[in-house]
Amino acid sequence: MNEGERIPWVVGVSGASGTPYAAAVLRGLLAAGEPVDLVVSRASRLTLLDETGIAYRDAHWREDLAQWLARGADGKPGTFTGIGLDDVRHWAAGDLAAGPSSGSYRTKGMLIVPASTACVAGVALGLSKDLLQRTASVTLKESRKLVVAVRETPLNGQTLKHLVSLDEAGAVVLPASPAFYAGATHIQDLVDFVAGRVLDAAGVPHGLYRRWEGELGGGSREGEPRGG
């Protein structure tokens, strides 16, 4: 590896509900000093508009992303500040000639947050209909880390089969399923728990939630920091 070579995590955002999960993962990666390549699918832009009122545009992605990452899970603007985007690279979802579409483009892996059932099916079947799916296929064939944070309920049999296929191919299947033992008192705590588990699967350090230490009652301790 060349000294100073940039090797990013690719974050793919699909059309499932759960855009706050994606925002929390992106904030966590950037806080850890990790470079990010971002692919926001066309379907996810509709979800983002519906859930936050933010229109994500290729031509103005930096301004739109800054607005998105500053927003809390409760929809409050300006909740998070001081988020630098200098090490974020945006790739248009329809650009199949983009860097991450090739295995020779070096990445640490890919995190799909949230992953819709359509996205899961496309990756499991190797459809590569857009850059998000193509990058996931490349990640698998290059034996890099792929974390799929599926966000859907209930799950039908076909989707379960697709998830098994992804597991067998080496992906980490991580349902967006928040836990309560960490002492959640706000919607952001539940979002951060899922985001933290995604970062755990990627091996990225963070302080997004209080970890289990084998002592009952930890979730009821008010006023204690959740990070660790």
Side-chain angles (χ1 to χ4, degrees), residues 120-154:
V120 166
V123 176
L125 297 173
L127 298 183
S128 296
K129 73 169 189 176
D130 61 9
L131 181 60
L132 193 158
Q133 291 183 12
R134 170 59 185 169
T135 302
S137 295
V138 167
T139 302
L140 288 176
K141 81 179 183 69
E142 297 294 328
S143 299
R144 297 168 184 161
K145 178 73 74 174
L146 175 63
V147 181
V148 180
V150 61
R151 215 306 306 163
E152 184 60 272
T153 189

PDB file of all heavy atoms in Angstrom, residues 120-154:
ATOM      1  N   VAL A 120     -31.642  -6.361  -0.783  1.00  0.00           N
ATOM      2  CA  VAL A 120     -31.166  -7.681  -0.358  1.00  0.00           C
ATOM      3  C   VAL A 120     -31.289  -8.682  -1.501  1.00  0.00           C
ATOM      4  O   VAL A 120     -30.354  -9.444  -1.798  1.00  0.00           O
ATOM      5  CB  VAL A 120     -31.962  -8.162   0.873  1.00  0.00           C
ATOM      6  CG1 VAL A 120     -31.748  -9.651   1.126  1.00  0.00           C
ATOM      7  CG2 VAL A 120     -31.564  -7.348   2.109  1.00  0.00           C
ATOM      8  N   ALA A 121     -32.443  -8.680  -2.174  1.00  0.00           N
ATOM      9  CA  ALA A 121     -32.656  -9.602  -3.290  1.00  0.00           C
ATOM     10  C   ALA A 121     -31.667  -9.331  -4.411  1.00  0.00           C
ATOM     11  O   ALA A 121     -31.071 -10.261  -4.975  1.00  0.00           O
ATOM     12  CB  ALA A 121     -34.090  -9.480  -3.801  1.00  0.00           C
ATOM     13  N   GLY A 122     -31.481  -8.067  -4.754  1.00  0.00           N
ATOM     14  CA  GLY A 122     -30.584  -7.717  -5.846  1.00  0.00           C
ATOM     15  C   GLY A 122     -29.149  -8.145  -5.580  1.00  0.00           C
ATOM     16  O   GLY A 122     -28.467  -8.656  -6.468  1.00  0.00           O
ATOM     17  N   VAL A 123     -28.692  -7.955  -4.331  1.00  0.00           N
ATOM     18  CA  VAL A 123     -27.326  -8.346  -3.990  1.00  0.00           C
ATOM     19  C   VAL A 123     -27.203  -9.865  -3.949  1.00  0.00           C
ATOM     20  O   VAL A 123     -26.240 -10.437  -4.459  1.00  0.00           O
ATOM     21  CB  VAL A 123     -26.913  -7.725  -2.641  1.00  0.00           C
ATOM     22  CG1 VAL A 123     -25.528  -8.214  -2.240  1.00  0.00           C
ATOM     23  CG2 VAL A 123     -26.931  -6.200  -2.718  1.00  0.00           C
ATOM     24  N   ALA A 124     -28.196 -10.531  -3.355  1.00  0.00           N
ATOM     25  CA  ALA A 124     -28.147 -11.989  -3.254  1.00  0.00           C
ATOM     26  C   ALA A 124     -28.149 -12.655  -4.624  1.00  0.00           C
ATOM     27  O   ALA A 124     -27.504 -13.686  -4.829  1.00  0.00           O
ATOM     28  CB  ALA A 124     -29.325 -12.493  -2.420  1.00  0.00           C
ATOM     29  N   LEU A 125     -28.873 -12.053  -5.567  1.00  0.00           N
ATOM     30  CA  LEU A 125     -28.980 -12.632  -6.905  1.00  0.00           C
ATOM     31  C   LEU A 125     -27.911 -12.105  -7.860  1.00  0.00           C
ATOM     32  O   LEU A 125     -27.837 -12.542  -9.013  1.00  0.00           O
ATOM     33  CB  LEU A 125     -30.369 -12.343  -7.488  1.00  0.00           C
ATOM     34  CG  LEU A 125     -31.547 -12.974  -6.728  1.00  0.00           C
ATOM     35  CD1 LEU A 125     -32.865 -12.480  -7.307  1.00  0.00           C
ATOM     36  CD2 LEU A 125     -31.471 -14.491  -6.769  1.00  0.00           C
ATOM     37  N   GLY A 126     -27.111 -11.155  -7.401  1.00  0.00           N
ATOM     38  CA  GLY A 126     -26.056 -10.599  -8.244  1.00  0.00           C
ATOM     39  C   GLY A 126     -26.565  -9.778  -9.405  1.00  0.00           C
ATOM     40  O   GLY A 126     -25.955  -9.765 -10.482  1.00  0.00           O
ATOM     41  N   LEU A 127     -27.664  -9.035  -9.209  1.00  0.00           N
ATOM     42  CA  LEU A 127     -28.276  -8.299 -10.312  1.00  0.00           C
ATOM     43  C   LEU A 127     -27.464  -7.082 -10.754  1.00  0.00           C
ATOM     44  O   LEU A 127     -27.427  -6.752 -11.937  1.00  0.00           O
ATOM     45  CB  LEU A 127     -29.688  -7.850  -9.920  1.00  0.00           C
ATOM     46  CG  LEU A 127     -30.694  -8.968  -9.615  1.00  0.00           C
ATOM     47  CD1 LEU A 127     -32.063  -8.370  -9.311  1.00  0.00           C
ATOM     48  CD2 LEU A 127     -30.784  -9.956 -10.771  1.00  0.00           C
ATOM     49  N   SER A 128     -26.831  -6.400  -9.818  1.00  0.00           N
ATOM     50  CA  SER A 128     -26.014  -5.214 -10.138  1.00  0.00           C
ATOM     51  C   SER A 128     -26.784  -4.204 -10.982  1.00  0.00           C
ATOM     52  O   SER A 128     -26.266  -3.658 -11.961  1.00  0.00           O
ATOM     53  CB  SER A 128     -24.728  -5.626 -10.865  1.00  0.00           C
ATOM     54  OG  SER A 128     -23.917  -6.421 -10.033  1.00  0.00           O
ATOM     55  N   LYS A 129     -28.019  -3.923 -10.601  1.00  0.00           N
ATOM     56  CA  LYS A 129     -28.845  -3.014 -11.399  1.00  0.00           C
ATOM     57  C   LYS A 129     -28.448  -1.550 -11.210  1.00  0.00           C
ATOM     58  O   LYS A 129     -28.801  -0.714 -12.029  1.00  0.00           O
ATOM     59  CB  LYS A 129     -30.321  -3.197 -11.060  1.00  0.00           C
ATOM     60  CG  LYS A 129     -30.737  -2.647  -9.710  1.00  0.00           C
ATOM     61  CD  LYS A 129     -32.247  -2.615  -9.556  1.00  0.00           C
ATOM     62  CE  LYS A 129     -32.668  -1.862  -8.301  1.00  0.00           C
ATOM     63  NZ  LYS A 129     -34.130  -1.732  -8.191  1.00  0.00           N
ATOM     64  N   ASP A 130     -27.731  -1.239 -10.115  1.00  0.00           N
ATOM     65  CA  ASP A 130     -27.239   0.120  -9.900  1.00  0.00           C
ATOM     66  C   ASP A 130     -25.895   0.029  -9.189  1.00  0.00           C
ATOM     67  O   ASP A 130     -25.392  -1.070  -8.907  1.00  0.00           O
ATOM     68  CB  ASP A 130     -28.243   0.974  -9.112  1.00  0.00           C
ATOM     69  CG  ASP A 130     -28.554   0.428  -7.714  1.00  0.00           C
ATOM     70  OD1 ASP A 130     -27.856  -0.523  -7.271  1.00  0.00           O
ATOM     71  OD2 ASP A 130     -29.472   0.936  -7.072  1.00  0.00           O
ATOM     72  N   LEU A 131     -25.289   1.172  -8.889  1.00  0.00           N
ATOM     73  CA  LEU A 131     -23.959   1.171  -8.301  1.00  0.00           C
ATOM     74  C   LEU A 131     -23.957   0.537  -6.920  1.00  0.00           C
ATOM     75  O   LEU A 131     -22.987  -0.134  -6.552  1.00  0.00           O
ATOM     76  CB  LEU A 131     -23.408   2.596  -8.231  1.00  0.00           C
ATOM     77  CG  LEU A 131     -21.996   2.720  -7.645  1.00  0.00           C
ATOM     78  CD1 LEU A 131     -20.981   1.927  -8.474  1.00  0.00           C
ATOM     79  CD2 LEU A 131     -21.589   4.179  -7.538  1.00  0.00           C
ATOM     80  N   LEU A 132     -25.030   0.714  -6.159  1.00  0.00           N
ATOM     81  CA  LEU A 132     -25.087   0.132  -4.824  1.00  0.00           C
ATOM     82  C   LEU A 132     -24.984  -1.394  -4.903  1.00  0.00           C
ATOM     83  O   LEU A 132     -24.163  -2.019  -4.224  1.00  0.00           O
ATOM     84  CB  LEU A 132     -26.379   0.560  -4.119  1.00  0.00           C
ATOM     85  CG  LEU A 132     -26.480   0.308  -2.606  1.00  0.00           C
ATOM     86  CD1 LEU A 132     -27.509   1.236  -1.987  1.00  0.00           C
ATOM     87  CD2 LEU A 132     -26.816  -1.142  -2.277  1.00  0.00           C
ATOM     88  N   GLN A 133     -25.812  -2.003  -5.748  1.00  0.00           N
ATOM     89  CA  GLN A 133     -25.790  -3.457  -5.874  1.00  0.00           C
ATOM     90  C   GLN A 133     -24.473  -3.940  -6.475  1.00  0.00           C
ATOM     91  O   GLN A 133     -23.921  -4.971  -6.052  1.00  0.00           O
ATOM     92  CB  GLN A 133     -26.973  -3.933  -6.713  1.00  0.00           C
ATOM     93  CG  GLN A 133     -28.321  -3.752  -6.034  1.00  0.00           C
ATOM     94  CD  GLN A 133     -29.458  -4.311  -6.862  1.00  0.00           C
ATOM     95  OE1 GLN A 133     -29.253  -5.026  -7.836  1.00  0.00           O
ATOM     96  NE2 GLN A 133     -30.679  -3.981  -6.486  1.00  0.00           N
ATOM     97  N   ARG A 134     -23.975  -3.230  -7.468  1.00  0.00           N
ATOM     98  CA  ARG A 134     -22.718  -3.619  -8.096  1.00  0.00           C
ATOM     99  C   ARG A 134     -21.573  -3.583  -7.083  1.00  0.00           C
ATOM    100  O   ARG A 134     -20.739  -4.494  -7.029  1.00  0.00           O
ATOM    101  CB  ARG A 134     -22.402  -2.704  -9.279  1.00  0.00           C
ATOM    102  CG  ARG A 134     -21.009  -2.870  -9.868  1.00  0.00           C
ATOM    103  CD  ARG A 134     -20.756  -4.284 -10.365  1.00  0.00           C
ATOM    104  NE  ARG A 134     -19.364  -4.436 -10.811  1.00  0.00           N
ATOM    105  CZ  ARG A 134     -18.809  -5.600 -11.100  1.00  0.00           C
ATOM    106  NH1 ARG A 134     -19.499  -6.730 -10.988  1.00  0.00           N
ATOM    107  NH2 ARG A 134     -17.547  -5.654 -11.486  1.00  0.00           N
ATOM    108  N   THR A 135     -21.516  -2.542  -6.272  1.00  0.00           N
ATOM    109  CA  THR A 135     -20.457  -2.426  -5.282  1.00  0.00           C
ATOM    110  C   THR A 135     -20.550  -3.547  -4.253  1.00  0.00           C
ATOM    111  O   THR A 135     -19.520  -4.089  -3.815  1.00  0.00           O
ATOM    112  CB  THR A 135     -20.521  -1.060  -4.581  1.00  0.00           C
ATOM    113  OG1 THR A 135     -20.424  -0.020  -5.559  1.00  0.00           O
ATOM    114  CG2 THR A 135     -19.402  -0.902  -3.578  1.00  0.00           C
ATOM    115  N   ALA A 136     -21.776  -3.916  -3.861  1.00  0.00           N
ATOM    116  CA  ALA A 136     -21.944  -5.028  -2.927  1.00  0.00           C
ATOM    117  C   ALA A 136     -21.435  -6.328  -3.535  1.00  0.00           C
ATOM    118  O   ALA A 136     -20.776  -7.129  -2.859  1.00  0.00           O
ATOM    119  CB  ALA A 136     -23.411  -5.155  -2.528  1.00  0.00           C
ATOM    120  N   SER A 137     -21.725  -6.546  -4.812  1.00  0.00           N
ATOM    121  CA  SER A 137     -21.237  -7.749  -5.492  1.00  0.00           C
ATOM    122  C   SER A 137     -19.708  -7.767  -5.555  1.00  0.00           C
ATOM    123  O   SER A 137     -19.071  -8.807  -5.347  1.00  0.00           O
ATOM    124  CB  SER A 137     -21.821  -7.831  -6.908  1.00  0.00           C
ATOM    125  OG  SER A 137     -23.219  -8.008  -6.878  1.00  0.00           O
ATOM    126  N   VAL A 138     -19.119  -6.603  -5.842  1.00  0.00           N
ATOM    127  CA  VAL A 138     -17.664  -6.493  -5.873  1.00  0.00           C
ATOM    128  C   VAL A 138     -17.083  -6.771  -4.487  1.00  0.00           C
ATOM    129  O   VAL A 138     -16.065  -7.471  -4.347  1.00  0.00           O
ATOM    130  CB  VAL A 138     -17.246  -5.096  -6.366  1.00  0.00           C
ATOM    131  CG1 VAL A 138     -15.756  -4.845  -6.117  1.00  0.00           C
ATOM    132  CG2 VAL A 138     -17.562  -4.935  -7.842  1.00  0.00           C
ATOM    133  N   THR A 139     -17.717  -6.244  -3.463  1.00  0.00           N
ATOM    134  CA  THR A 139     -17.245  -6.451  -2.095  1.00  0.00           C
ATOM    135  C   THR A 139     -17.206  -7.935  -1.753  1.00  0.00           C
ATOM    136  O   THR A 139     -16.232  -8.431  -1.162  1.00  0.00           O
ATOM    137  CB  THR A 139     -18.149  -5.696  -1.107  1.00  0.00           C
ATOM    138  OG1 THR A 139     -18.154  -4.297  -1.444  1.00  0.00           O
ATOM    139  CG2 THR A 139     -17.655  -5.853   0.322  1.00  0.00           C
ATOM    140  N   LEU A 140     -18.241  -8.669  -2.144  1.00  0.00           N
ATOM    141  CA  LEU A 140     -18.279 -10.103  -1.871  1.00  0.00           C
ATOM    142  C   LEU A 140     -17.216 -10.852  -2.666  1.00  0.00           C
ATOM    143  O   LEU A 140     -16.511 -11.709  -2.127  1.00  0.00           O
ATOM    144  CB  LEU A 140     -19.666 -10.659  -2.189  1.00  0.00           C
ATOM    145  CG  LEU A 140     -20.792 -10.278  -1.236  1.00  0.00           C
ATOM    146  CD1 LEU A 140     -22.124 -10.816  -1.738  1.00  0.00           C
ATOM    147  CD2 LEU A 140     -20.505 -10.821   0.172  1.00  0.00           C
ATOM    148  N   LYS A 141     -17.094 -10.519  -3.949  1.00  0.00           N
ATOM    149  CA  LYS A 141     -16.145 -11.287  -4.771  1.00  0.00           C
ATOM    150  C   LYS A 141     -14.701 -11.017  -4.381  1.00  0.00           C
ATOM    151  O   LYS A 141     -13.831 -11.872  -4.582  1.00  0.00           O
ATOM    152  CB  LYS A 141     -16.365 -11.000  -6.260  1.00  0.00           C
ATOM    153  CG  LYS A 141     -15.762  -9.730  -6.812  1.00  0.00           C
ATOM    154  CD  LYS A 141     -16.032  -9.589  -8.300  1.00  0.00           C
ATOM    155  CE  LYS A 141     -15.368  -8.343  -8.882  1.00  0.00           C
ATOM    156  NZ  LYS A 141     -13.886  -8.453  -8.919  1.00  0.00           N
ATOM    157  N   GLU A 142     -14.448  -9.856  -3.790  1.00  0.00           N
ATOM    158  CA  GLU A 142     -13.101  -9.523  -3.335  1.00  0.00           C
ATOM    159  C   GLU A 142     -12.862  -9.946  -1.884  1.00  0.00           C
ATOM    160  O   GLU A 142     -11.812  -9.658  -1.314  1.00  0.00           O
ATOM    161  CB  GLU A 142     -12.852  -8.013  -3.475  1.00  0.00           C
ATOM    162  CG  GLU A 142     -12.901  -7.506  -4.909  1.00  0.00           C
ATOM    163  CD  GLU A 142     -11.785  -8.056  -5.774  1.00  0.00           C
ATOM    164  OE1 GLU A 142     -10.676  -8.305  -5.235  1.00  0.00           O
ATOM    165  OE2 GLU A 142     -12.007  -8.236  -7.006  1.00  0.00           O
ATOM    166  N   SER A 143     -13.853 -10.629  -1.293  1.00  0.00           N
ATOM    167  CA  SER A 143     -13.760 -11.122   0.097  1.00  0.00           C
ATOM    168  C   SER A 143     -13.511  -9.997   1.096  1.00  0.00           C
ATOM    169  O   SER A 143     -12.744 -10.142   2.060  1.00  0.00           O
ATOM    170  CB  SER A 143     -12.660 -12.184   0.210  1.00  0.00           C
ATOM    171  OG  SER A 143     -12.951 -13.297  -0.611  1.00  0.00           O
ATOM    172  N   ARG A 144     -14.162  -8.868   0.847  1.00  0.00           N
ATOM    173  CA  ARG A 144     -14.108  -7.760   1.793  1.00  0.00           C
ATOM    174  C   ARG A 144     -15.342  -7.792   2.694  1.00  0.00           C
ATOM    175  O   ARG A 144     -16.313  -8.467   2.411  1.00  0.00           O
ATOM    176  CB  ARG A 144     -14.038  -6.429   1.037  1.00  0.00           C
ATOM    177  CG  ARG A 144     -12.786  -6.274   0.185  1.00  0.00           C
ATOM    178  CD  ARG A 144     -12.875  -5.096  -0.755  1.00  0.00           C
ATOM    179  NE  ARG A 144     -11.713  -5.019  -1.639  1.00  0.00           N
ATOM    180  CZ  ARG A 144     -11.682  -4.345  -2.770  1.00  0.00           C
ATOM    181  NH1 ARG A 144     -12.755  -3.663  -3.180  1.00  0.00           N
ATOM    182  NH2 ARG A 144     -10.594  -4.345  -3.518  1.00  0.00           N
ATOM    183  N   LYS A 145     -15.288  -7.049   3.754  1.00  0.00           N
ATOM    184  CA  LYS A 145     -16.397  -7.023   4.712  1.00  0.00           C
ATOM    185  C   LYS A 145     -17.638  -6.385   4.090  1.00  0.00           C
ATOM    186  O   LYS A 145     -17.576  -5.285   3.561  1.00  0.00           O
ATOM    187  CB  LYS A 145     -15.981  -6.238   5.955  1.00  0.00           C
ATOM    188  CG  LYS A 145     -17.054  -6.097   7.007  1.00  0.00           C
ATOM    189  CD  LYS A 145     -17.288  -7.399   7.749  1.00  0.00           C
ATOM    190  CE  LYS A 145     -16.176  -7.708   8.698  1.00  0.00           C
ATOM    191  NZ  LYS A 145     -16.446  -8.905   9.541  1.00  0.00           N
ATOM    192  N   LEU A 146     -18.765  -7.085   4.178  1.00  0.00           N
ATOM    193  CA  LEU A 146     -20.049  -6.544   3.742  1.00  0.00           C
ATOM    194  C   LEU A 146     -21.037  -6.697   4.878  1.00  0.00           C
ATOM    195  O   LEU A 146     -21.311  -7.819   5.330  1.00  0.00           O
ATOM    196  CB  LEU A 146     -20.570  -7.271   2.504  1.00  0.00           C
ATOM    197  CG  LEU A 146     -21.970  -6.872   2.036  1.00  0.00           C
ATOM    198  CD1 LEU A 146     -22.008  -5.402   1.609  1.00  0.00           C
ATOM    199  CD2 LEU A 146     -22.451  -7.773   0.896  1.00  0.00           C
ATOM    200  N   VAL A 147     -21.557  -5.593   5.376  1.00  0.00           N
ATOM    201  CA  VAL A 147     -22.552  -5.597   6.442  1.00  0.00           C
ATOM    202  C   VAL A 147     -23.869  -5.119   5.849  1.00  0.00           C
ATOM    203  O   VAL A 147     -23.943  -4.042   5.253  1.00  0.00           O
ATOM    204  CB  VAL A 147     -22.138  -4.691   7.615  1.00  0.00           C
ATOM    205  CG1 VAL A 147     -23.196  -4.744   8.723  1.00  0.00           C
ATOM    206  CG2 VAL A 147     -20.771  -5.099   8.156  1.00  0.00           C
ATOM    207  N   VAL A 148     -24.910  -5.940   6.007  1.00  0.00           N
ATOM    208  CA  VAL A 148     -26.222  -5.648   5.429  1.00  0.00           C
ATOM    209  C   VAL A 148     -27.210  -5.439   6.572  1.00  0.00           C
ATOM    210  O   VAL A 148     -27.635  -6.391   7.227  1.00  0.00           O
ATOM    211  CB  VAL A 148     -26.689  -6.803   4.521  1.00  0.00           C
ATOM    212  CG1 VAL A 148     -28.054  -6.487   3.920  1.00  0.00           C
ATOM    213  CG2 VAL A 148     -25.667  -7.061   3.423  1.00  0.00           C
ATOM    214  N   ALA A 149     -27.553  -4.176   6.847  1.00  0.00           N
ATOM    215  CA  ALA A 149     -28.469  -3.840   7.935  1.00  0.00           C
ATOM    216  C   ALA A 149     -29.897  -3.826   7.388  1.00  0.00           C
ATOM    217  O   ALA A 149     -30.446  -2.777   7.043  1.00  0.00           O
ATOM    218  CB  ALA A 149     -28.109  -2.492   8.546  1.00  0.00           C
ATOM    219  N   VAL A 150     -30.478  -5.009   7.314  1.00  0.00           N
ATOM    220  CA  VAL A 150     -31.810  -5.146   6.728  1.00  0.00           C
ATOM    221  C   VAL A 150     -32.849  -4.494   7.637  1.00  0.00           C
ATOM    222  O   VAL A 150     -32.818  -4.649   8.851  1.00  0.00           O
ATOM    223  CB  VAL A 150     -32.138  -6.625   6.459  1.00  0.00           C
ATOM    224  CG1 VAL A 150     -32.122  -7.446   7.745  1.00  0.00           C
ATOM    225  CG2 VAL A 150     -33.480  -6.761   5.760  1.00  0.00           C
ATOM    226  N   ARG A 151     -33.763  -3.734   7.033  1.00  0.00           N
ATOM    227  CA  ARG A 151     -34.793  -3.026   7.799  1.00  0.00           C
ATOM    228  C   ARG A 151     -36.153  -3.326   7.165  1.00  0.00           C
ATOM    229  O   ARG A 151     -36.593  -2.612   6.257  1.00  0.00           O
ATOM    230  CB  ARG A 151     -34.491  -1.531   7.803  1.00  0.00           C
ATOM    231  CG  ARG A 151     -34.829  -0.740   9.073  1.00  0.00           C
ATOM    232  CD  ARG A 151     -36.237  -0.876   9.556  1.00  0.00           C
ATOM    233  NE  ARG A 151     -37.225  -0.570   8.520  1.00  0.00           N
ATOM    234  CZ  ARG A 151     -38.504  -0.925   8.585  1.00  0.00           C
ATOM    235  NH1 ARG A 151     -38.966  -1.643   9.588  1.00  0.00           N
ATOM    236  NH2 ARG A 151     -39.329  -0.605   7.612  1.00  0.00           N
ATOM    237  N   GLU A 152     -36.795  -4.356   7.659  1.00  0.00           N
ATOM    238  CA  GLU A 152     -38.127  -4.734   7.168  1.00  0.00           C
ATOM    239  C   GLU A 152     -38.780  -5.650   8.186  1.00  0.00           C
ATOM    240  O   GLU A 152     -38.088  -6.363   8.921  1.00  0.00           O
ATOM    241  CB  GLU A 152     -38.013  -5.458   5.819  1.00  0.00           C
ATOM    242  CG  GLU A 152     -39.342  -5.810   5.178  1.00  0.00           C
ATOM    243  CD  GLU A 152     -40.191  -4.589   4.898  1.00  0.00           C
ATOM    244  OE1 GLU A 152     -40.944  -4.199   5.823  1.00  0.00           O
ATOM    245  OE2 GLU A 152     -40.101  -4.024   3.793  1.00  0.00           O
ATOM    246  N   THR A 153     -40.097  -5.613   8.272  1.00  0.00           N
ATOM    247  CA  THR A 153     -40.817  -6.540   9.134  1.00  0.00           C
ATOM    248  C   THR A 153     -42.269  -6.614   8.683  1.00  0.00           C
ATOM    249  O   THR A 153     -42.832  -5.591   8.294  1.00  0.00           O
ATOM    250  CB  THR A 153     -40.733  -6.100  10.621  1.00  0.00           C
ATOM    251  OG1 THR A 153     -41.263  -7.126  11.454  1.00  0.00           O
ATOM    252  CG2 THR A 153     -41.487  -4.794  10.876  1.00  0.00           C
ATOM    253  N   PRO A 154     -42.871  -7.805   8.637  1.00  0.00           N
ATOM    254  CA  PRO A 154     -42.232  -9.109   8.817  1.00  0.00           C
ATOM    255  C   PRO A 154     -41.413  -9.485   7.587  1.00  0.00           C
ATOM    256  O   PRO A 154     -41.521  -8.844   6.546  1.00  0.00           O
ATOM    257  CB  PRO A 154     -43.416 -10.058   9.000  1.00  0.00           C
ATOM    258  CG  PRO A 154     -44.522  -9.406   8.210  1.00  0.00           C
ATOM    259  CD  PRO A 154     -44.339  -7.928   8.380  1.00  0.00           C
TER     260      PRO A 154
END
